[in-house]
Amino acid sequence: MNQPEHELARSIVRHLDYGVDQLDPAVRERLLTARKTALSRYREQPATVTGLAWAGQVGARLTNQHFYNFRHLAAISALVLGLVCVAYWQSVGTTNSYAEIDSDLLTDELPFNAYLDQGFDSWLKRSPR
Amino acid sequence: MAQAFAALIVCLCLSLTANAAQVKTDAKKTVRPTWSELKPEHQKILAPLSSDWENMDATRRKKWVAIAERYPKMKPQEQQRLQKNMVAWARLTPEERRAAREKYQNLKKLPPDKRKEVTTQWQRYQNSLAANPASDPLSPPDAQEAPAPQ
């Protein structure tokens, strides 16, 4: 800031101070109150902004259709796909297990009738060991 | 968030219902594999079951296909036994098959000599029935007199 600008600033300050001195005390009091109120609100503003920003972020998460569609539906789809895979592998495992037992049982030297014949059960129990 | 949970629950219910419905309809609707969908070599192996195929559910059909896949690796004698037993086994009730599998698995746990003994006893039992059908089948030759079967 150069010399003429300093002179101008001092002149403006003098005019303003003079003007203030000429003000009615009631008006000065109202201005002071208004300034205090404005300053108090100015200090509270950052906290208010933070709160709104946080709330807005959550709101956006919940209401953003794109987010809802993609993330949640992807998670649900993965879960359902997982369940289907588990059911499928259980089914395959059961089928293979039955196939293994049945093929062994039906090709065994002892025919399967032996396992169902109650008379043979009694025969075995009465046979001398 | 609540909407997401609701959607999740609905999906789970739908998948479970679909699964249950599939089990229910397996016996009624087109059950796969159908006989014509089988490979020609599997049809040949499973030929004794062709007339019973329509009455089988999907799980049993897949089981028989899996058995047919094992068939080429079996010894000729085992193949003959399988062919001989196939139809009678398929016509048992599910409870009878379950009971037979259970007893077979118990027998498998025995030492080989004990298993051989059971097979020998079965042959004796069969011979006893064949030799004298009117006699008491519950009495082994070496055993004492037993009451008549009920």
Side-chain angles (χ1 to χ4, degrees):
Chain A
M1 200 175 278
N2 54 30
Q3 195 62 28
E5 285 172 340
H6 280 290
E7 286 296 332
L8 178 62
R10 273 197 287 271
S11 175
I12 290 170
V13 168
R14 273 199 304 273
H15 277 288
L16 286 173
D17 286 343
Y18 176 76
V20 168
D21 289 340
Q22 301 305 309
L23 279 175
D24 183 34
V27 173
R28 290 175 66 179
E29 189 62 31
R30 276 166 53 203
L31 284 170
L32 182 63
T33 309
R35 180 175 179 272
K36 284 180 179 173
T37 307
L39 284 174
S40 69
R41 285 183 184 167
Y42 177 76
R43 285 189 199 99
E44 286 169 8
Q45 199 173 13
T48 309
V49 167
T50 304
L52 283 175
W54 180 82
Q57 202 176 11
V58 172
R61 276 182 152 228
L62 288 177
T63 54
N64 188 329
Q65 198 63 28
H66 178 73
F67 178 86
Y68 178 80
N69 278 342
F70 181 72
R71 293 281 177 84
H72 284 84
L73 290 184
I76 291 165
S77 303
L79 185 64
V80 171
L81 189 66
L83 286 172
V84 169
C85 285
V86 167
Y88 173 76
W89 284 114
Q90 275 185 338
S91 156
V92 170
T94 306
T95 304
N96 286 339
S97 164
Y98 278 142
E100 186 180 344
I101 296 170
D102 286 11
S103 62
D104 287 353
L105 197 158
L106 297 178
T107 56
D108 196 62
E109 197 179 352
L110 185 64
F112 70 85
N113 289 332
Y115 304 111
L116 302 171
D117 194 320
Q118 300 297 319
F120 182 54
D121 264 354
S122 303
W123 172 281
L124 282 178
K125 285 171 190 167
R126 290 161 187 270
S127 292
R129 301 283 173 184
Chain B
M1 193 59 74
Q3 281 179 319
F5 277 119
L8 179 64
I9 290 166
V10 167
C11 281
L12 283 174
C13 290
L14 283 176
S15 65
L16 292 174
T17 310
N19 201 8
Q22 189 189 357
V23 171
K24 274 189 179 177
T25 52
D26 267 356
K28 294 176 185 174
K29 276 191 167 181
T30 305
V31 184
R32 299 184 70 184
T34 61
W35 183 258
S36 57
E37 285 173 337
L38 295 180
K39 293 177 188 172
E41 61 265 32
H42 288 177
Q43 283 186 350
K44 193 177 172 186
I45 295 164
L46 302 175
L49 297 174
S50 59
S51 59
D52 295 312
W53 196 257
E54 283 304 306
N55 301 323
M56 292 186 193
D57 61 29
T59 305
R60 288 181 67 200
R61 291 184 186 192
K62 286 174 189 167
K63 179 202 73 177
W64 282 113
V65 170
I67 291 174
E69 282 169 358
R70 292 163 180 261
Y71 188 85
K73 295 174 191 168
M74 295 176 186
K75 296 171 189 168
Q77 198 177 20
E78 290 176 336
Q79 291 179 345
Q80 283 175 7
R81 286 182 193 141
L82 182 68
Q83 292 283 324
K84 183 184 163 194
N85 290 329
M86 214 179 267
V87 173
W89 177 255
R91 289 180 183 172
L92 293 178
T93 64
E95 289 74 24
E96 286 173 326
R97 283 195 294 268
R98 191 169 58 240
R101 286 185 191 117
E102 200 177 311
K103 286 187 178 181
Y104 171 73
Q105 285 178 307
N106 288 336
L107 189 74
K108 258 179 90 174
K109 292 174 190 166
L110 294 178
D113 58 327
K114 295 274 185 191
R115 292 178 59 186
K116 187 76 184 167
E117 175 62 22
V118 173
T119 306
T120 307
Q121 287 294 340
W122 172 254
Q123 285 162 355
R124 282 189 191 172
Y125 175 72
Q126 291 296 301
N127 291 340
S128 167
L129 289 179
N132 194 358
S135 72
D136 178 6
L138 298 183
S139 300
D142 301 329
Q144 293 180 343
E145 286 294 317
Q150 300 299 308

